[in-house]
Amino acid sequence: MTTEQTLSLPRVAHVMAGAAAGGAELFFERLCMAQAAQGMPVLPIIRRNAERTARLSSTGAQPLQLPFGGKLDLRTGPRLRRALQAFAPRVTIAWMNRAAQFTPKGDWVLAGRLGGYYDLAYYRRCTHLIGNTRGLKSWMIEQGWDEKRVHYLPNFATDLADTPPLWPAQVPHGAPFLLALGRLHANKAFDVLIRSLRTVPHIPLVIVGEGPERAALEELARREGVQERVFMPGWATDPGGLIRACTALVCPSRHEPLGNVVIEGFSAARPVVAAASQGPTELIEQGHNGLLAPIEDATALATALNEVLENPALARNLALAGRETYAKTFAPAPVLHAWQTFLCTVENT
């Protein structure tokens, strides 16, 4: 990269006060690291987390760690302001509610980045909002925000095309299996997926994740008589390898503002079957790059899964079209270009 190109890259601060894991948090990391790798001056400001600090630091995006505590936290605000003043970003991005509460106005454009339908009162200091779906952008405008101050910037997913397939320990190497990923929470509707197995015979289901619904899901699998082919191994160290190996990737969520897992399935060229919640409906063109089933409908979900499992030509066509969608819209290059354009051109006025 030439000196001229480096100088043209804007200075950006990203403020993230989120949890150790989660879709927004992981994309925050990917974006910071990718922008730093481009040569962009990036300051990540994060809630204290040694593992996240190590990952960000490995690519030169050296983060500042702050407490981001509750109402009695009187230290984070002043330290955050001093850090931003010293770094002098062109744009500061506040990721989600807590970060937006703490991040001050200053000699920078302040934009709030939302990955869901949050209370916009948290973003009263922001002059711009960013949504990672077109549906979120439309919703924010409906809430009264000026459309000139609301922006759609999609997530990108890691390119999994060359990731070696990895079969889970519970499934023989080379054998077919269904894969679902996410926190074991009611929103993810893994209960609907488990009920669908009664009419999706023989094939194992691997649900990668952890959360409060584990015991209830295990009991449901026993009641439905499918416990011998439902496996919940916890979080995976190599989810990309599992996605590349699966026969079909399933996203049965009741509520899913985006559906990063759908984009990951596209990236890995695997057929994707999803419930028609907000994000997947925006990402999937029915019958072209994936299949959609109505929310809460185990029978319809089973029908869609059986279509993919019983029709190899359909499964291949869905996978190829999903890969094309990924390359065009959700690969790093087009998303980083969109972010750079935003950061270079957005103004307070």
Side-chain angles (χ1 to χ4, degrees):
M1 181 172 290
T2 68
T3 301
E4 181 178 345
Q5 288 172 315
T6 302
L7 290 174
S8 70
L9 294 173
R11 300 175 72 81
V12 57
H14 291 284
V15 185
M16 165 60 81
E25 289 83 356
L26 293 176
F27 177 64
F28 161 86
E29 291 184 18
R30 291 199 300 274
L31 180 62
C32 288
M33 292 188 287
Q35 289 177 333
Q38 286 183 315
M40 187 177 292
V42 176
L43 174 63
I45 302 175
I46 64 172
R47 200 172 193 174
R48 287 172 181 162
N49 184 299
E51 293 78 11
R52 178 163 293 143
T53 296
R55 289 191 293 269
L56 290 166
S57 299
S58 69
T59 57
Q62 184 64 43
L64 170 66
Q65 298 184 75
L66 295 175
F68 287 106
K71 293 181 179 179
L72 298 180
D73 179 3
L74 303 179
R75 299 176 60 194
T76 294
R79 291 182 62 188
L80 176 55
R81 180 182 292 276
R82 289 195 296 270
L84 290 173
Q85 289 171 337
F87 182 70
R90 183 179 194 277
V91 183
T92 296
I93 310 293
W95 290 67
M96 302 188 297
N97 297 356
R98 185 180 290 263
Q101 280 185 296
F102 275 98
T103 306
K105 289 184 175 182
D107 295 328
W108 47 80
V109 177
L110 179 57
R113 191 272 188 187
L114 289 77
Y117 297 83
Y118 308 147
D119 184 349
L120 297 184
Y122 289 104
Y123 301 87
R124 59 186 180 275
R125 295 195 191 102
C126 298
T127 52
H128 294 265
L129 295 181
I130 300 166
N132 62 352
T133 69
R134 290 184 177 88
L136 268 173
K137 178 182 176 180
S138 297
W139 174 78
M140 289 185 283
I141 294 169
E142 291 170 1
Q143 303 310 300
W145 273 72
D146 183 345
E147 63 180 345
K148 295 178 182 178
R149 295 178 178 272
V150 181
H151 311 267
Y152 164 59
L153 292 173
N155 289 11
F156 67 80
T158 302
D159 192 338
L160 300 176
D162 296 324
T163 300
L166 175 67
W167 267 260
Q170 301 84 356
V171 178
H173 183 84
F177 68 99
L178 300 174
L179 179 67
L181 302 99
R183 189 163 178 260
L184 305 184
H185 186 279
N187 281 346
K188 297 298 183 182
F190 294 135
D191 57 316
V192 178
L193 177 55
I194 288 172
R195 289 199 302 273
S196 77
L197 285 189
R198 295 186 66 180
T199 47
V200 183
H202 310 305
I203 192 165
L205 166 64
V206 179
I207 303 175
V208 173
E210 195 53 83
E213 292 293 305
R214 170 177 285 277
L217 293 172
E218 290 172 341
E219 175 58 27
L220 176 63
R222 284 191 289 271
R223 292 201 310 269
E224 295 291 322
V226 296
Q227 71 273 20
E228 293 183 356
R229 53 192 178 100
V230 174
F231 304 103
M232 291 184 285
W235 294 112
T237 56
D238 183 15
L242 296 173
I243 295 171
R244 285 278 289 132
C246 74
T247 308
L249 187 65
V250 194
C251 178
S253 300
R254 294 178 170 91
H255 176 69
E256 194 68 65
L258 173 61
N260 279 308
V261 68
V262 173
I263 300 174
E264 290 170 342
F266 289 168
S267 168
R270 307 314 302 148
V272 177
V273 176
S277 50
Q278 303 98 320
T281 301
E282 184 171 310
L283 297 170
I284 292 174
E285 183 181 344
Q286 176 72 323
H288 173 63
N289 60 359
L291 296 181
L292 292 167
I295 296 170
E296 299 277 6
D297 193 331
T299 300
L301 184 62
T303 298
L305 289 169
N306 283 325
E307 283 188 61
V308 169
L309 297 173
E310 295 169 4
N311 189 336
L314 172 65
R316 175 176 173 77
N317 289 339
L318 295 175
L320 292 176
R323 176 65 195 184
E324 184 178 352
T325 300
Y326 167 79
K328 181 179 179 180
T329 307
F330 301 107
V335 174
L336 288 170
H337 177 73
W339 269 91
Q340 184 171 340
T341 300
F342 169 79
L343 294 172
C344 287
T345 60
V346 68
E347 300 289 351
N348 270 327
T349 55

